[in-house]
Amino acid sequence: MCSLVNLQKIHQGYPTETLVRFLKAREWSIPSAYKMLMDCLNWRIQNHIDEILTKPIIPADLYRGIRDSQLVGLSGYTKDGHPVFAIGVGLSTYDKASVSYYVQSHIQMNEYRDRVILPASTKKYGRHVAACVKVLDMTGLKLSALCQIKLLTIISTIDDLNYPEKTETYYIVNAPCIFSACWKVVKPLLQERTRRKVQILQGCGRDELLKIMDYESLPHFCRREGSGSSGHSSSGSDNCFSFDHHFHQQLYSYIKQQALGRELAAPLKQGPFHIDVPEPDPKGVKIVKTAIESQLHKTGDRNGLSRSLSGLNINVA
């Protein structure tokens, strides 16, 4: 049964604005928005999401490995207070832990954003800040990234169903040639309201991004042409993907601190925090897989890559 406490974790003191988010996500259909909100509340209760920030990923070396392979971090804020989350799409390998750990880490960042980052920004800027902006770095994007479609679909599904309208704009930077082929496939599959949020910037996007944020808030891969998002391209203090960056240090310390009270009742256990993941529509998954394979083989034929593409296994099941 859904409780007011669970609902409060979602709206964080702004119930009207939260209802509007769910209405937007369901094209202003009240019955659909109501069902979406109830499903979200039930998902949170069944999976104990309210407690996820008391479940640190241990040992710390495991968490460091996740940070080295799931490249995401907070680089700063826009001039109007929106948190800037940087995501290294092209160089994330997701090969240092199980899927469950990556999903847990993603949800923990969502919850930390909603419970800590956004309320702090709201207080600092004197107005309600309910969403972030995301800068997606495509440096190093390769065909092998398709092997991660299953995990990325899980994360995307969780966000779509349980954290609607939490991203103001998606900025895509450092896009290689292969990105255009993938984008031709993905773009028609996105809802119109989502497509309107996507902006593909030239090069590292520095000049355009400086219109909405200060230089200090730029992700490290946007500060100069060709900088890329390599986890080893800059120091931990500058590289917001690094476990040594102050955002990840604060996040990890916060979770460990929240866990202290729980530990008195029961010692912390190693192992991922199990979360039930909604299954994506099988028909939609099949369409996506077929479309991507078709577009990539067209690209391969034009660039003499047909042989290398023939053995590519796209796992979306």
Side-chain angles (χ1 to χ4, degrees):
M1 182 178 293
C2 302
S3 70
L4 292 176
V5 174
N6 299 114
L7 182 60
Q8 195 277 335
K9 291 290 186 181
I10 296 178
H11 68 63
Q12 293 292 317
Y14 293 89
T16 300
E17 291 82 354
T18 297
L19 293 176
V20 169
R21 288 197 294 110
F22 280 84
L23 281 166
K24 283 183 178 180
R26 287 298 176 259
E27 307 297 336
W28 302 100
S29 167
I30 293 177
S32 297
Y34 175 78
K35 182 181 184 303
M36 183 185 189
L37 179 56
M38 290 300 101
D39 289 345
C40 174
L41 284 167
N42 286 323
W43 174 79
R44 296 184 66 89
I45 293 170
Q46 293 167 8
N47 292 282
H48 307 285
I49 299 301
D50 289 353
E51 302 172 13
I52 199 168
L53 290 181
T54 68
K55 307 293 183 180
I57 295 174
I58 53 177
D61 284 345
L62 174 60
Y63 187 72
R64 182 180 291 277
I66 291 173
R67 294 280 57 84
D68 288 343
S69 55
Q70 184 184 35
L71 303 181
V72 58
L74 178 71
S75 66
Y77 297 82
T78 64
K79 295 175 182 178
D80 57 2
H82 290 94
V84 179
F85 280 90
I87 303 173
V89 176
L91 292 175
S92 290
T93 56
Y94 301 100
D95 59 353
K96 302 297 184 183
S98 67
V99 168
S100 296
Y101 277 120
Y102 287 113
V103 171
Q104 177 180 344
S105 175
H106 177 77
I107 295 176
Q108 285 179 330
M109 271 191 269
N110 279 356
E111 292 293 313
Y112 187 73
R113 174 198 64 197
D114 294 350
R115 300 189 210 177
V116 179
I117 299 295
L118 290 174
S121 189
T122 293
K123 183 177 181 180
K124 178 179 179 179
Y125 288 86
R127 66 174 192 83
H128 181 44
V129 180
C132 65
V133 300
K134 293 181 179 178
V135 184
L136 282 63
D137 181 25
M138 298 296 163
T139 299
L141 185 66
K142 298 177 182 178
L143 299 180
S144 58
L146 294 173
C147 297
Q148 306 301 334
I149 284 180
K150 181 180 180 180
L151 173 56
L152 297 178
T153 300
I154 289 173
I155 289 174
S156 172
T157 301
I158 288 173
D159 285 352
D160 288 345
L161 296 181
N162 302 291
Y163 302 93
E165 298 296 317
K166 280 294 184 177
T167 302
E168 190 82 10
T169 310
Y170 299 88
Y171 295 102
I172 295 175
V173 302
N174 296 322
C177 295
I178 194 64
F179 170 78
S180 61
C182 297
W183 181 238
K184 287 178 182 177
V185 174
V186 174
K187 185 177 180 180
L189 302 176
L190 300 176
Q191 294 187 15
E192 177 59 30
R193 63 183 176 83
T194 302
R195 289 202 296 266
R196 288 196 298 265
K197 294 181 181 181
V198 178
Q199 295 188 30
I200 303 174
L201 306 183
Q202 183 175 4
C204 69
R206 179 188 55 207
D207 294 341
E208 286 298 314
L209 291 174
L210 283 174
K211 295 177 182 178
I212 64 166
M213 68 185 75
D214 294 331
Y215 181 84
E216 290 73 20
S217 290
L218 283 176
H220 60 281
F221 51 79
C222 294
R223 296 189 177 185
R224 64 182 187 277
E225 293 292 342
S227 57
S229 65
S230 170
H232 306 286
S233 62
S234 57
S235 67
S237 61
D238 294 330
N239 180 357
C240 64
F241 298 150
S242 171
F243 181 39
D244 298 319
H245 188 266
H246 61 82
F247 166 70
H248 286 298
Q249 287 292 304
Q250 291 169 2
L251 169 59
Y252 197 63
S253 295
Y254 178 90
I255 295 174
K256 289 195 295 182
Q257 190 68 32
Q258 295 296 307
L260 285 178
R262 299 270 180 179
E263 191 174 4
L264 294 176
L268 289 176
K269 297 180 180 179
Q270 293 190 27
F273 187 75
H274 178 73
I275 298 163
D276 292 328
V277 179
E279 289 294 329
D281 178 17
K283 183 183 294 185
V285 169
K286 184 175 181 180
I287 291 172
V288 171
K289 178 178 178 180
T290 302
I292 291 176
E293 287 177 337
S294 175
Q295 185 63 46
L296 287 174
H297 281 287
K298 288 179 182 177
T299 304
D301 290 340
R302 288 196 298 268
N303 295 279
L305 298 174
S306 298
R307 181 173 298 178
S308 62
L309 286 169
S310 61
L312 185 65
N313 180 28
I314 303 175
N315 179 17
V316 296

